[in-house]
């Protein structure tokens, strides 16, 4: 090895095929954390404000790197004709397919819906039926969205660009790919672990790129017309310093590849 050269884990090196969604849900969502409930509240109110004055016809939503988390999709439900859950890890794809099957999603997600339904737009929706009716799962790679061939009218990306690689270039590419998947004016929500040094799911370790509020802002600003960043100082587990939630709208600039 070259002296002084740091080897960083790239996205393709991580054991995604070994990702255990049930353990991940146990670790993160089965007992809802204050931080996640606060994020859901902020995202609900932001989307509500964006769609005030009526929902445009045929809005399609996307959750990129959906993994074993259904609350971003639930937060888009009242506003969408269709929602796509794009996910790379096969075990997570299977988990999500089960969640959107006619059997209905797991009770773990009810607590998040309870927060959403405090708002009238969400109360007007019957989530379990609607999820199986309009939400679809696709196995895919976030990096394939780079050239903007596919675009959605509302989007979410939760703990993905920062939680899939240690490399700065892959973090920026991840953010750019998500932004290039949004049409001009599309509202979005993106969440990041603050200063994460990586995470363990069951027997496997997954990489992270350390971000703070400034880094998140710098990465998103070129693509956004409207941007608010919430720095949530809630610790979820050792190895990071909280969560960052970015809410905004895609601008109409042509994104730089
Ligand atoms: C920390 S998990 C976040 C999962 C979920 N969005 C959440 O909020 O809990 C990171 C997710 O990114 C997915 N992922 C990793 N590399 C990806 C890629 N190249 N394209 C799409 N998803 C990817 C992983 O499979 C995993 O589901």
């Amino acid at each position: 090895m070259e002296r002084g050269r740091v080897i960083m884990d790239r996205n393709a090196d991580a054991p995604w095929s070994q990702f255990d969604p049930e353990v991940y849900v146990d670790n993160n969502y089965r007992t809802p954390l204050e931080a996640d409930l606060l994020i859901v509240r902020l995202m609900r109110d932001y989307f509500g404000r964006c769609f005030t004055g009526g929902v445009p016809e045929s809005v399609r939503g996307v959750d990129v790197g959906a993994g074993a988390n259904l609350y971003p999709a639930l937060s888009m439900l009242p506003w969408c004709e269709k929602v796509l859950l794009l996910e790379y890890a096969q075990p997570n794809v299977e988990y999500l397919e089960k969640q959107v099957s006619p059997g209905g999603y797991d009770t773990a997600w009810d607590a998040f819906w309870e927060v959403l339904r405090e708002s009238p737009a969400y109360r007007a929706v019957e989530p379990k039926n609607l999820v199986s009716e309009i939400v679809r799962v696709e196995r895919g790679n976030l990096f394939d969205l780079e050239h903007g061939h596919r675009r959605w009218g509302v989007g979410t990306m939760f703990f993905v660009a920062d939680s899939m690689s240690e490399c700065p270039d892959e973090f920026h590419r991840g953010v750019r790919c998500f932004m290039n998947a949004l049409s001009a004016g599309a509202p979005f929500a993106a969440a990041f672990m603050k200063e994460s040094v990586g995470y363990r799911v069951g027997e496997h370790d997954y990489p992270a790129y350390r971000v703070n509020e400034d880094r998140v802002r710098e990465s998103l600003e070129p693509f956004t017309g409207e941007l608010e960043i919430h720095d949530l100082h809630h610790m979820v587990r050792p190895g990071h310093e909280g969560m960052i939630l970015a809410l905004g709208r895609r601008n109409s600039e042509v994104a730089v590849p």
Side-chain angles (χ1 to χ4, degrees):
M1 191 180 86
E2 224 176 279
R3 191 198 289 238
R5 183 157 163 233
V6 182
I7 305 280
M8 288 188 275
D9 274 340
R10 296 191 70 81
N11 181 246
D13 299 330
W16 302 114
S17 64
Q18 309 296 312
F19 203 101
D20 187 330
E22 294 294 343
V23 172
Y24 185 80
V25 172
D26 287 346
N27 292 350
N28 295 287
Y29 301 122
R30 189 100 47 209
T31 306
L33 297 168
E34 263 319 301
D36 286 294
L37 297 175
L38 179 56
I39 284 176
V40 169
R41 208 168 290 134
L42 290 163
M43 182 163 51
R44 171 198 77 192
D45 293 345
Y46 184 72
F47 286 157
R49 287 198 298 279
C50 288
F51 291 111
T52 319
V55 186
E57 257 178 56
S58 64
V59 173
R60 291 180 308 118
V62 67
D63 183 29
V64 172
N69 182 4
L70 213 59
Y71 77 61
L74 293 176
S75 75
M76 289 187 278
L77 269 192
W79 321 115
C80 292
E81 177 196 59
K82 285 182 184 167
V83 176
L84 181 73
L85 308 183
L86 189 82
E87 167 57 36
Y88 183 72
Q90 185 59 30
N92 288 341
V93 169
E94 286 164 23
Y95 174 86
L96 290 168
E97 277 169 348
K98 210 163 132 223
Q99 302 307 307
V100 308
S101 70
Y105 56 76
D106 206 273
T107 52
W109 306 110
D110 291 343
F112 300 96
W113 184 258
E114 282 307 304
V115 174
L116 291 169
R117 71 184 298 280
E118 287 164 10
S119 151
Y122 290 83
R123 270 203 299 285
V125 159
E126 202 298 294
K128 289 212 160 137
N129 289 341
L130 198 56
V131 162
S132 64
E133 239 173 73
I134 69 166
V135 183
R136 292 289 169 266
V137 183
E138 181 181 311
R139 176 155 195 254
N141 194 326
L142 159 64
F143 293 142
D144 291 339
L145 302 174
E146 179 129 30
H147 300 290
H149 299 313
R150 302 174 77 188
R151 290 189 188 255
W152 287 265
V154 55
T156 51
M157 180 176 70
F158 272 61
F159 315 116
V160 179
D162 59 314
S163 301
M164 62 178 202
S165 166
E166 288 179 349
C167 303
D169 62 314
E170 289 195 316
F171 166 73
H172 288 286
R173 190 170 166 213
V175 168
R176 190 168 69 235
C177 288
F178 174 54
M179 286 291 129
N180 285 358
L182 298 174
S183 37
F188 71 86
F192 306 85
M193 285 292 178
K194 186 175 175 184
E195 301 287 1
S196 173
V197 294
Y199 55 106
R200 194 170 179 80
V201 183
E203 300 301 307
H204 301 279
D205 290 317
Y206 293 90
Y209 173 66
R210 298 182 72 138
V211 296
N212 54 24
E213 184 178 342
D214 288 344
R215 215 164 249 184
V216 166
R217 185 180 298 282
E218 281 162 21
S219 69
L220 287 167
E221 248 167 6
F223 305 101
T224 51
E226 182 179 301
L227 180 64
E228 54 181 78
I229 308 249
H230 299 265
D231 191 344
L232 311 172
H233 304 277
H234 294 67
M235 282 281 292
V236 179
R237 51 177 159 71
H240 76 94
E241 294 176 11
M243 296 181 188
I244 296 169
L245 174 69
L247 299 168
R249 279 182 188 270
R250 179 71 165 93
N251 63 19
S252 51
E253 305 296 315
V254 175
V256 196

